[in-house]
Amino acid sequence: MRIEQRPLALPALGLTAVLALSGCSLLPNQASHAKGPYPQTLDSPYGSTTIKTQPEKIAVTSSVDFDIAVALGADPVIAPALSGKKASPWAMEALDDSGMETPTLYDPKKGPDAEAIREAEPDVILATGLDDAGEHFDELSDIAPVVAAEDDATWTDRTAAVATALNKGQEAQEVVEDVTGQSEKAADHHLEFEDTTYALADVKAESIDYLSYAGSDDSFFTGIGMLQDSAAQDYSAQKHSVTKPQVDQLDADVLLIHFPDSGAGTGADAGSGADQAMLDEDELEDPFYREVKVIRGKHYTVLDDTTFAALTNLSPLSYDWLLHNLPDDLSKAEQGVL
């Protein structure tokens, strides 16, 4: 059962197709062909783009695209900061290991900084992980060719799209095989994960976001043998709010929960944002919430901001980082040991 659920045996997009068809531009559910690597025309839900020659200066508009580019050996010239005007720890580690320099970072709170990106004079703009890519596609296309993807694309979908744009198919194959191998090792080391259901929740002021909805990228969890809980079918990218009367829908075998401004997972002590939330970590001891089996049995783990960011910005680098940092906490949650 665990092996059947692993998606890294290369998913619907067909990363293997990218490798087998040199010069074939592949994005989720769409493809266009060229006689060689360039000129390369790529389709996306927001329009087509043509890359005429091998890109040398690469701009990225999401942490996911930053990670993918670095994982494939490309050195972006400009990228969004993940938090605190810094790159993620997994990206910084990869940059250090490869000897690459940290690119110019911009604050992404208001979306991609078109002015800063234009000043960087990129040859291509990677936006496969940009949440609102459709809103910015035309503006960014005026600067350079834009590589985008479906909203529900998996990390391997996005990796394949970037690999096609940068002519990095072999590198992508190696990256995916490495992550697959590490995931299999984690699954073999943690047999308790087999067929264990999980739910991923993010606390908001008025409700809780159920982020492990049907259709979300669950490859990290399925890769180590875990499964989405049945409640996932009740939620989607458009409908994922859990109100207080529905809190029992968090009742999977293991619950992963993130609190606002949690820092190192300190919950209500971490700032004013947590004070406004429907639920904070201290409230898990409240009799109301302890009626929820997964909370009463202590089968949950509180995610700090960095781990939550890794799970919700899944990439070759964040996936690898998670494999080294999360399984032990998941194992304690599965056993009910906080």
Side-chain angles (χ1 to χ4, degrees):
M1 177 70 79
R2 183 174 70 243
I3 295 175
E4 292 176 352
Q5 291 294 328
R6 288 177 185 161
L8 295 181
L10 300 180
L13 163 69
L15 181 54
T16 49
V18 172
L19 310 175
L21 299 174
S22 177
C24 172
S25 304
L26 218 49
L27 286 174
N29 303 320
Q30 303 186 53
S32 62
H33 299 265
K35 295 180 179 179
Y38 302 101
Q40 183 68 278
T41 299
L42 295 91
D43 297 331
S44 82
Y46 319 111
S48 298
T49 193
T50 299
I51 303 172
K52 296 180 179 180
T53 59
Q54 176 78 49
E56 295 183 2
K57 299 177 70 176
I58 301 163
V60 299
T61 61
S62 76
S63 62
V64 171
D65 291 293
F66 186 16
D67 292 356
I68 294 172
V70 172
L72 298 183
D75 194 355
V77 294
I78 188 168
L82 182 64
S83 64
K85 297 183 179 180
K86 296 180 180 179
S88 65
W90 45 89
M92 291 302 299
E93 182 179 351
L95 288 171
D96 289 342
D97 289 345
S98 63
M100 296 180 186
E101 295 185 2
T102 303
T104 300
L105 298 176
Y106 64 84
D107 186 344
K109 288 182 180 179
K110 296 182 179 180
D113 189 334
E115 183 178 347
I117 293 172
R118 187 181 300 276
E119 290 178 358
E121 299 182 336
D123 300 316
V124 68
I125 300 172
L126 305 181
T128 69
L130 183 61
D131 289 337
D132 52 356
E135 297 179 17
H136 300 282
F137 187 85
D138 290 341
E139 178 185 25
L140 294 175
S141 294
D142 287 339
I143 302 172
V146 178
V147 182
E150 300 279 2
D151 291 340
D152 60 353
T154 65
W155 73 273
T156 43
D157 292 338
R158 303 180 201 282
T159 300
V162 172
T164 303
L166 303 184
N167 194 27
K168 295 278 189 178
Q170 185 57 47
E171 291 86 344
Q173 177 73 18
E174 293 171 359
V175 164
V176 172
E177 287 180 351
D178 180 64
V179 173
T180 302
Q182 294 299 322
S183 183
E184 290 175 348
K185 287 180 181 178
D188 291 340
H189 184 69
H190 291 282
L191 297 179
E192 68 274 17
F193 293 159
E194 186 170 1
D195 296 340
T196 296
T197 62
Y198 77 95
L200 172 61
D202 183 31
V203 175
K204 298 292 186 181
E206 302 298 332
S207 66
I208 297 173
D209 278 351
Y210 191 105
L211 297 182
S212 49
Y213 49 80
S216 60
D217 187 353
D218 62 349
S219 54
F220 173 79
F221 296 100
T222 58
I224 58 176
M226 302 179 76
L227 306 171
Q228 287 183 335
D229 186 64
S230 58
Q233 300 299 321
D234 298 330
Y235 298 92
S236 68
Q238 292 73 40
K239 174 183 173 293
H240 50 78
S241 177
V242 180
T243 60
K244 195 168 184 177
Q246 299 170 313
V247 74
D248 60 343
Q249 293 214 355
L250 303 177
D251 210 4
D253 293 333
V254 170
L255 170 65
L256 299 89
I257 190 164
H258 173 255
F259 297 97
D261 300 320
S262 60
T266 55
D269 297 330
S272 59
D275 296 336
Q276 303 301 315
M278 185 186 82
L279 169 66
D280 63 42
E281 189 171 357
D282 290 345
E283 288 185 81
L284 294 176
E285 297 299 322
D286 185 284
F288 175 84
Y289 293 110
R290 288 181 65 81
E291 288 302 310
V292 180
K293 183 175 66 175
V294 69
I295 295 175
R296 183 174 68 248
K298 299 183 177 180
H299 294 291
Y300 65 86
T301 185
V302 176
L303 302 176
D304 61 39
D305 293 338
T306 301
T307 306
F308 181 73
L311 280 171
T312 53
N313 295 274
L314 205 58
S315 73
L317 300 184
S318 63
Y319 196 127
D320 182 72
W321 185 91
L322 286 165
L323 286 171
H324 287 87
N325 290 278
L326 187 56
D328 286 346
D329 288 341
L330 290 176
S331 182
K332 291 178 182 178
E334 192 276 337
Q335 298 172 59
V337 180
L338 289 178

